[in-house]
Amino acid sequence: MLVERRATGGQAGQSSRIENYLGFPDGVSGAQLTDRARRQATKFGAELLSTREVVGLSAAGSARLLRFDDGSEIAAHTVVLATGVSYRVLDAPGLSDFSGRGVFYGSTATEAPSCVDQDVSASPATGWC
């Protein structure tokens, strides 16, 4: 069982282009990668629950109970928590229009060469922008 609070794939599913993922030398869109992952998971028998939020986890003998925000529960023998990531974003008018197209909320040193002779700013509170 795969439970997603928002949409399948999390942050990766929202990415316009992923160029550093193994097996995709020319890059892949987040939507393409998410679709492939979903199809592969269902091929091997996984069930997917989207837009469900887990609010509790408890032991019941050898099983683990996941409790959802609507009060329902499911039992599992094994639970893997992949909590994902959520960035704090700058609160500036119109900035969301440029997210992923010049405004990014995460960066590594390997991206520095692509910023040569460009204006770049960073803040511990907001990340790269």
Side-chain angles (χ1 to χ4, degrees), residues 6-87:
R6 291 192 180 95
T8 303
Q11 179 189 4
Q14 298 172 16
S15 298
S16 59
R17 194 93 183 135
I18 300 170
E19 297 194 31
N20 62 347
Y21 197 81
L22 181 65
F24 296 95
D26 298 320
V28 63
S29 76
Q32 290 170 324
L33 183 62
T34 297
D35 180 59
R36 290 176 184 197
R38 180 193 51 74
R39 288 190 331 219
Q40 185 174 11
T42 57
K43 172 185 173 182
F44 290 107
E47 294 180 50
L48 279 69
L49 288 177
S50 294
T51 65
R52 299 289 302 274
E53 185 170 359
V54 176
V55 296
L57 173 63
S58 60
S62 65
R64 304 294 175 256
L65 294 177
L66 291 173
R67 188 174 63 256
F68 297 105
D69 58 349
D70 66 358
S72 63
E73 294 181 330
I74 60 170
H77 289 288
T78 304
V79 174
V80 176
L81 301 175
T83 58
V85 69
S86 145
Y87 294 104

